[in-house]
Amino acid sequence: MHDSADDLRTVTLHNGVTMPSIAFGTAFGDWVGATDFQGFLPEQAWRAVTLALDNGYRAFDGARVYGTERILGALLGQRLASGELTREELFITTKLAHPAAPPHINISHKRTWDADKVADIAQRVRDDMVDTLDDLGLGYVDLLLMHWPGSFGENRIGDPNFPRQARATIWRTFCELADKGAARAIGVSNFTIRHLRQLMDDVPEPERRPVINQVEVHPYCRDLELEAFCRERGIVVTAYAPFASGAFGLLQDPVLVAIAERHGKTTGQIVLRWHVQGGRAALPKTSKAKRMAENRDIYDFALSDEDMRAIDALGAGEARRTCPDPSNAL
């Protein structure tokens, strides 16, 4: 939860770890159809992460599947070597267990896997964690997330309980990694209420519940029931694609434009303030230094209740998603 109503810069997770409310996202490429190429473009991270560090970002959200962890590790390593940074100043998130991607998406098959095609799920998670830490050049991450609750294809095992059992196996392995010190906190991503209920039933110790559920949230994509479920259980909701990844013309919405003009801010700043003021963390991503600075400059104003309600109302219809609907995950 946010540490106070007056200081929304940090969130304290239920295990006591403090996390910045805004982290820099490191998934580069296109998967929303804006270009002919569909997939990740890690090379874009070199300049963007450098600019983010120059602009004061110290929290970075990554994933094994993005292919940017080696780049992030190299850039962080340079600044650790020079003494410009210390490890304690950083908050590094990674995600493991991404299912196989659709054939039209250019994502390495070595970075994705379906649980029903893996001989030893727990060992695959351990091996991926070793590779991630090696790429980052770090001894531990601050936050480790299960990237997706399962695959979107047919369950080839035949046992209808297998996807649930696989999630529990991955989660117990995450707990093992946290106990060893490889991760300070563990959570999930793209989990629905169904997925969360099952996981917390299968691993019922209260201290083992996820600290985070990272899901797609923006003014055109809301799941109020899921957000309430997480909030009641002390699970922080983190918004990925907080600007809808540039899709749907979100930042040109007249409602957001009008609110931005009243506050003397950009529409992007209004959306980020709406996220943190609503109790969520957020993961903005940009390659432009000006916008990086703007995305951190959201703590010197507050949205009125009327502003919040107006933005909330934008998501009243059917959710417009840039990523697959997690409810379809097995």
Side-chain angles (χ1 to χ4, degrees), residues 21-73:
S21 298
I22 299 294
F24 190 78
T26 62
F28 291 91
D30 177 31
W31 47 93
V32 298
T35 63
D36 291 336
F37 177 87
Q38 295 287 279
F40 292 118
L41 293 169
E43 61 269 27
Q44 295 179 357
W46 286 105
R47 180 62 176 159
V49 171
T50 297
L51 290 172
L53 285 164
D54 289 344
N55 277 277
Y57 285 85
R58 297 296 180 260
F60 293 87
D61 178 83
R64 186 79 194 135
V65 72
Y66 298 163
T68 54
E69 291 182 323
R70 179 178 59 84
I71 297 167
L72 176 61

Coordinates of all heavy atoms in Angstrom, one line a residue, residues 21-73:
S21 N 6.6 3.8 -6.6 CA 5.3 3.7 -7.3 C 5.5 3.7 -8.8 O 4.6 3.2 -9.5 CB 4.5 4.9 -6.9 OG 4.2 4.9 -5.5
I22 N 6.5 4.4 -9.3 CA 6.8 4.5 -10.7 C 8.1 3.8 -11.1 O 9.1 4.1 -10.5 CB 6.8 5.9 -11.2 CG1 5.5 6.6 -10.9 CG2 7.2 6.0 -12.7 CD1 4.3 6.2 -11.7
A23 N 8.0 2.8 -12.0 CA 9.2 2.1 -12.5 C 9.3 2.2 -14.0 O 8.3 2.4 -14.6 CB 9.3 0.7 -12.0
F24 N 10.5 2.1 -14.5 CA 10.7 2.3 -16.0 C 10.5 0.9 -16.6 O 11.2 -0.1 -16.3 CB 12.0 2.9 -16.3 CG 12.2 3.2 -17.7 CD1 11.7 4.4 -18.2 CD2 13.0 2.4 -18.6 CE1 11.9 4.8 -19.5 CE2 13.1 2.7 -19.9 CZ 12.6 3.9 -20.4
G25 N 9.6 0.8 -17.6 CA 9.4 -0.5 -18.2 C 10.5 -0.7 -19.3 O 10.9 0.2 -20.0
T26 N 10.9 -2.0 -19.5 CA 12.0 -2.3 -20.4 C 11.5 -3.3 -21.5 O 12.4 -4.0 -22.1 CB 13.2 -2.9 -19.6 OG1 12.8 -4.1 -19.0 CG2 13.7 -1.9 -18.6
A27 N 10.2 -3.3 -21.8 CA 9.8 -4.1 -22.9 C 9.7 -3.2 -24.1 O 8.8 -2.4 -24.2 CB 8.4 -4.7 -22.6
F28 N 10.6 -3.4 -25.1 CA 10.7 -2.6 -26.3 C 10.3 -3.4 -27.5 O 10.7 -4.6 -27.6 CB 12.0 -2.0 -26.4 CG 12.4 -1.0 -25.4 CD1 13.0 -1.4 -24.2 CD2 12.0 0.4 -25.5 CE1 13.3 -0.4 -23.2 CE2 12.3 1.3 -24.5 CZ 12.9 0.9 -23.4
G29 N 9.6 -2.8 -28.4 CA 9.1 -3.4 -29.6 C 7.7 -3.0 -29.9 O 7.2 -2.0 -29.5
D30 N 7.0 -3.9 -30.6 CA 5.6 -3.6 -31.0 C 4.8 -4.9 -31.0 O 5.1 -5.9 -31.6 CB 5.5 -2.9 -32.4 CG 4.0 -2.7 -32.8 OD1 3.2 -2.5 -31.9 OD2 3.7 -2.7 -34.0
W31 N 3.7 -4.9 -30.2 CA 2.8 -6.1 -30.2 C 1.4 -5.6 -30.2 O 0.5 -6.4 -29.9 CB 3.1 -6.9 -29.0 CG 3.2 -6.2 -27.7 CD1 2.2 -5.9 -26.8 CD2 4.3 -5.5 -27.2 NE1 2.7 -5.1 -25.8 CE2 4.0 -4.9 -26.0 CE3 5.7 -5.5 -27.6 CZ2 4.9 -4.2 -25.2 CZ3 6.6 -4.8 -26.9 CH2 6.2 -4.1 -25.7
V32 N 1.1 -4.3 -30.6 CA -0.2 -3.8 -30.7 C -0.6 -3.5 -32.2 O -1.6 -2.9 -32.4 CB -0.4 -2.6 -29.8 CG1 -0.2 -2.9 -28.4 CG2 0.5 -1.4 -30.3
G33 N 0.3 -3.9 -33.1 CA -0.1 -3.8 -34.5 C 0.2 -2.4 -35.1 O -0.3 -2.1 -36.2
A34 N 1.0 -1.6 -34.4 CA 1.3 -0.3 -35.0 C 2.3 -0.4 -36.1 O 2.4 0.6 -37.0 CB 1.9 0.6 -33.9
T35 N 3.1 -1.4 -36.2 CA 4.1 -1.6 -37.3 C 3.9 -3.0 -37.8 O 3.2 -3.9 -37.3 CB 5.5 -1.4 -36.8 OG1 5.8 -2.5 -35.8 CG2 5.7 -0.1 -36.1
D36 N 4.6 -3.3 -39.0 CA 4.5 -4.6 -39.6 C 5.2 -5.6 -38.7 O 4.8 -6.8 -38.6 CB 5.1 -4.6 -41.0 CG 4.3 -3.8 -42.0 OD1 3.1 -3.7 -41.7 OD2 4.8 -3.3 -43.0
F37 N 6.3 -5.2 -38.1 CA 7.1 -6.1 -37.2 C 6.3 -6.3 -35.9 O 5.9 -5.3 -35.2 CB 8.5 -5.5 -36.9 CG 9.3 -6.3 -35.9 CD1 10.1 -7.4 -36.4 CD2 9.3 -6.1 -34.6 CE1 10.8 -8.2 -35.5 CE2 10.0 -6.9 -33.7 CZ 10.8 -7.9 -34.2
Q38 N 6.2 -7.5 -35.5 CA 5.5 -7.8 -34.2 C 6.5 -8.6 -33.3 O 6.8 -9.7 -33.7 CB 4.2 -8.6 -34.4 CG 3.2 -7.8 -35.2 CD 2.5 -6.8 -34.3 OE1 1.6 -7.1 -33.5 NE2 3.0 -5.5 -34.5
G39 N 6.9 -8.0 -32.2 CA 7.8 -8.7 -31.3 C 8.7 -7.7 -30.6 O 8.4 -6.5 -30.6
F40 N 9.7 -8.2 -29.9 CA 10.5 -7.4 -29.0 C 11.7 -6.9 -29.8 O 12.3 -7.6 -30.7 CB 11.0 -8.2 -27.8 CG 9.9 -8.5 -26.9 CD1 9.5 -9.8 -26.6 CD2 9.2 -7.5 -26.2 CE1 8.5 -10.1 -25.7 CE2 8.1 -7.7 -25.3 CZ 7.8 -9.1 -25.1
L41 N 12.2 -5.7 -29.5 CA 13.4 -5.1 -30.1 C 14.3 -4.6 -29.0 O 14.3 -3.4 -28.6 CB 12.9 -3.9 -31.0 CG 12.1 -4.3 -32.3 CD1 11.6 -3.0 -32.9 CD2 13.0 -5.1 -33.3
P42 N 15.0 -5.5 -28.4 CA 15.9 -5.2 -27.3 C 16.9 -4.1 -27.5 O 17.3 -3.4 -26.6 CB 16.6 -6.5 -26.9 CG 15.8 -7.6 -27.6 CD 15.2 -7.0 -28.8
E43 N 17.3 -3.9 -28.8 CA 18.3 -2.9 -29.1 C 17.8 -1.5 -28.7 O 18.7 -0.6 -28.5 CB 18.7 -3.0 -30.6 CG 17.6 -2.7 -31.6 CD 16.9 -4.0 -32.0 OE1 16.8 -5.0 -31.2 OE2 16.3 -4.0 -33.1
Q44 N 16.5 -1.3 -28.7 CA 16.0 0.0 -28.3 C 16.3 0.3 -26.8 O 16.2 1.5 -26.4 CB 14.5 0.1 -28.6 CG 14.2 0.0 -30.1 CD 12.7 0.0 -30.4 OE1 11.9 0.0 -29.4 NE2 12.3 0.0 -31.6
A45 N 16.6 -0.7 -26.0 CA 16.8 -0.5 -24.6 C 18.1 0.2 -24.3 O 18.2 0.9 -23.3 CB 16.8 -1.8 -23.9
W46 N 19.1 0.1 -25.2 CA 20.4 0.7 -24.8 C 20.3 2.2 -24.6 O 20.7 2.7 -23.5 CB 21.4 0.5 -26.0 CG 21.9 -0.9 -26.1 CD1 21.5 -1.9 -27.0 CD2 22.9 -1.5 -25.2 NE1 22.2 -3.0 -26.7 CE2 23.1 -2.9 -25.7 CE3 23.6 -1.1 -24.1 CZ2 23.9 -3.7 -25.0 CZ3 24.5 -2.0 -23.5 CH2 24.7 -3.3 -24.0
R47 N 19.7 2.9 -25.5 CA 19.6 4.4 -25.4 C 18.5 4.7 -24.3 O 18.7 5.6 -23.5 CB 19.2 5.0 -26.7 CG 19.0 6.5 -26.7 CD 20.3 7.2 -26.3 NE 20.2 8.7 -26.4 CZ 21.0 9.5 -25.8 NH1 22.0 9.0 -25.0 NH2 20.9 10.8 -25.9
A48 N 17.4 4.0 -24.4 CA 16.3 4.4 -23.5 C 16.6 4.2 -22.0 O 16.4 5.1 -21.2 CB 15.0 3.6 -23.8
V49 N 17.3 3.1 -21.7 CA 17.6 2.9 -20.3 C 18.7 3.8 -19.8 O 18.7 4.3 -18.7 CB 18.1 1.4 -20.1 CG1 18.7 1.2 -18.7 CG2 16.9 0.4 -20.3
T50 N 19.7 4.2 -20.8 CA 20.7 5.2 -20.4 C 20.0 6.5 -20.1 O 20.3 7.1 -19.1 CB 21.6 5.4 -21.6 OG1 22.3 4.1 -21.9 CG2 22.6 6.5 -21.3
L51 N 19.0 6.9 -20.9 CA 18.3 8.2 -20.6 C 17.5 8.1 -19.3 O 17.5 9.1 -18.6 CB 17.4 8.5 -21.8 CG 18.1 8.9 -23.1 CD1 17.1 9.1 -24.2 CD2 18.9 10.3 -22.9
A52 N 16.9 6.9 -19.1 CA 16.2 6.8 -17.9 C 17.1 6.9 -16.6 O 16.7 7.6 -15.7 CB 15.5 5.4 -17.9
L53 N 18.2 6.3 -16.7 CA 19.2 6.5 -15.6 C 19.6 7.9 -15.4 O 19.7 8.4 -14.3 CB 20.4 5.6 -15.8 CG 20.2 4.1 -15.5 CD1 21.3 3.2 -16.2 CD2 20.0 3.8 -14.1
D54 N 19.8 8.6 -16.5 CA 20.2 10.0 -16.5 C 19.1 10.8 -15.9 O 19.4 11.9 -15.2 CB 20.6 10.5 -17.9 CG 21.8 9.9 -18.4 OD1 22.6 9.4 -17.7 OD2 22.0 10.0 -19.7
N55 N 17.9 10.4 -16.1 CA 16.7 11.2 -15.6 C 16.3 10.7 -14.2 O 15.2 11.1 -13.8 CB 15.6 11.1 -16.6 CG 15.7 12.1 -17.7 OD1 15.3 13.3 -17.6 ND2 16.3 11.7 -18.8
G56 N 17.1 9.9 -13.5 CA 16.8 9.6 -12.1 C 16.1 8.4 -11.8 O 15.8 8.1 -10.7
Y57 N 15.7 7.6 -12.9 CA 15.0 6.3 -12.6 C 16.0 5.4 -11.9 O 17.1 5.2 -12.4 CB 14.5 5.7 -13.9 CG 13.3 6.4 -14.5 CD1 13.4 7.6 -15.3 CD2 12.0 6.0 -14.2 CE1 12.3 8.2 -15.7 CE2 10.9 6.6 -14.7 CZ 11.0 7.8 -15.4 OH 9.9 8.4 -15.9
R58 N 15.5 4.7 -10.9 CA 16.2 3.7 -10.2 C 15.5 2.4 -10.1 O 16.0 1.4 -9.6 CB 16.6 4.2 -8.8 CG 17.6 5.5 -8.8 CD 18.9 5.1 -9.5 NE 19.8 6.3 -9.5 CZ 20.0 7.1 -10.6 NH1 19.3 6.8 -11.7 NH2 20.8 8.1 -10.6
A59 N 14.2 2.4 -10.5 CA 13.4 1.2 -10.5 C 13.1 0.8 -12.0 O 12.7 1.6 -12.8 CB 12.1 1.4 -9.8
F60 N 13.4 -0.5 -12.3 CA 13.3 -1.0 -13.7 C 12.5 -2.3 -13.6 O 12.8 -3.2 -12.9 CB 14.6 -1.2 -14.3 CG 15.4 0.1 -14.5 CD1 16.2 0.6 -13.5 CD2 15.2 0.8 -15.7 CE1 16.8 1.8 -13.7 CE2 15.9 2.0 -15.9 CZ 16.7 2.5 -14.9
D61 N 11.5 -2.4 -14.5 CA 10.7 -3.5 -14.6 C 11.1 -4.3 -15.9 O 11.0 -3.8 -17.0 CB 9.2 -3.2 -14.8 CG 8.3 -4.4 -14.9 OD1 7.9 -5.0 -13.9 OD2 8.0 -4.7 -16.1
G62 N 11.5 -5.5 -15.7 CA 12.0 -6.4 -16.8 C 11.3 -7.7 -16.8 O 10.4 -8.0 -16.0
A63 N 11.8 -8.6 -17.7 CA 11.3 -9.9 -17.8 C 12.3 -10.7 -18.6 O 12.9 -10.2 -19.5 CB 9.9 -10.0 -18.4
R64 N 12.3 -12.0 -18.4 CA 13.2 -12.9 -19.1 C 12.9 -12.8 -20.6 O 13.7 -12.8 -21.5 CB 13.0 -14.3 -18.6 CG 14.0 -15.3 -19.3 CD 15.3 -15.2 -18.6 NE 16.3 -15.9 -19.4 CZ 17.5 -15.4 -19.7 NH1 17.9 -14.3 -19.2 NH2 18.4 -16.1 -20.4
V65 N 11.6 -12.7 -20.9 CA 11.1 -12.8 -22.3 C 11.4 -11.5 -23.1 O 11.6 -11.6 -24.3 CB 9.6 -13.1 -22.4 CG1 8.8 -11.9 -22.0 CG2 9.1 -13.5 -23.8
Y66 N 11.7 -10.4 -22.4 CA 11.9 -9.2 -23.2 C 13.2 -9.1 -23.9 O 13.4 -8.4 -24.8 CB 11.9 -8.0 -22.2 CG 10.6 -7.7 -21.5 CD1 10.5 -6.9 -20.3 CD2 9.4 -8.3 -21.9 CE1 9.3 -6.7 -19.7 CE2 8.2 -8.1 -21.2 CZ 8.2 -7.3 -20.1 OH 7.0 -7.0 -19.4
G67 N 14.2 -9.9 -23.4 CA 15.5 -9.9 -24.0 C 16.4 -8.7 -23.7 O 17.4 -8.4 -24.4
T68 N 16.0 -7.9 -22.7 CA 16.7 -6.7 -22.4 C 17.5 -6.7 -21.1 O 18.1 -5.8 -20.7 CB 15.7 -5.5 -22.3 OG1 14.7 -5.8 -21.3 CG2 15.1 -5.2 -23.6
E69 N 17.4 -7.9 -20.4 CA 18.1 -7.9 -19.1 C 19.6 -7.8 -19.2 O 20.3 -7.3 -18.3 CB 17.6 -9.2 -18.3 CG 16.2 -9.1 -17.9 CD 15.7 -10.3 -17.2 OE1 16.1 -11.4 -17.5 OE2 14.9 -10.1 -16.3
R70 N 20.2 -8.4 -20.2 CA 21.6 -8.3 -20.4 C 22.0 -6.8 -20.6 O 23.0 -6.3 -20.1 CB 22.1 -9.1 -21.6 CG 23.6 -9.0 -21.9 CD 24.0 -9.9 -23.1 NE 23.3 -9.6 -24.3 CZ 23.6 -8.6 -25.1 NH1 24.7 -7.9 -24.9 NH2 22.9 -8.3 -26.2
I71 N 21.2 -6.1 -21.4 CA 21.4 -4.6 -21.6 C 21.3 -3.8 -20.3 O 22.2 -3.0 -20.0 CB 20.5 -4.1 -22.7 CG1 20.7 -4.9 -24.0 CG2 20.6 -2.6 -22.9 CD1 19.7 -4.7 -25.1
L72 N 20.2 -4.1 -19.6 CA 20.0 -3.4 -18.3 C 21.2 -3.7 -17.4 O 21.7 -2.8 -16.8 CB 18.7 -3.9 -17.7 CG 18.4 -3.3 -16.3 CD1 18.3 -1.8 -16.4 CD2 17.1 -3.9 -15.8
G73 N 21.6 -5.0 -17.3 CA 22.7 -5.3 -16.5 C 24.0 -4.6 -16.8 O 24.7 -4.2 -15.9

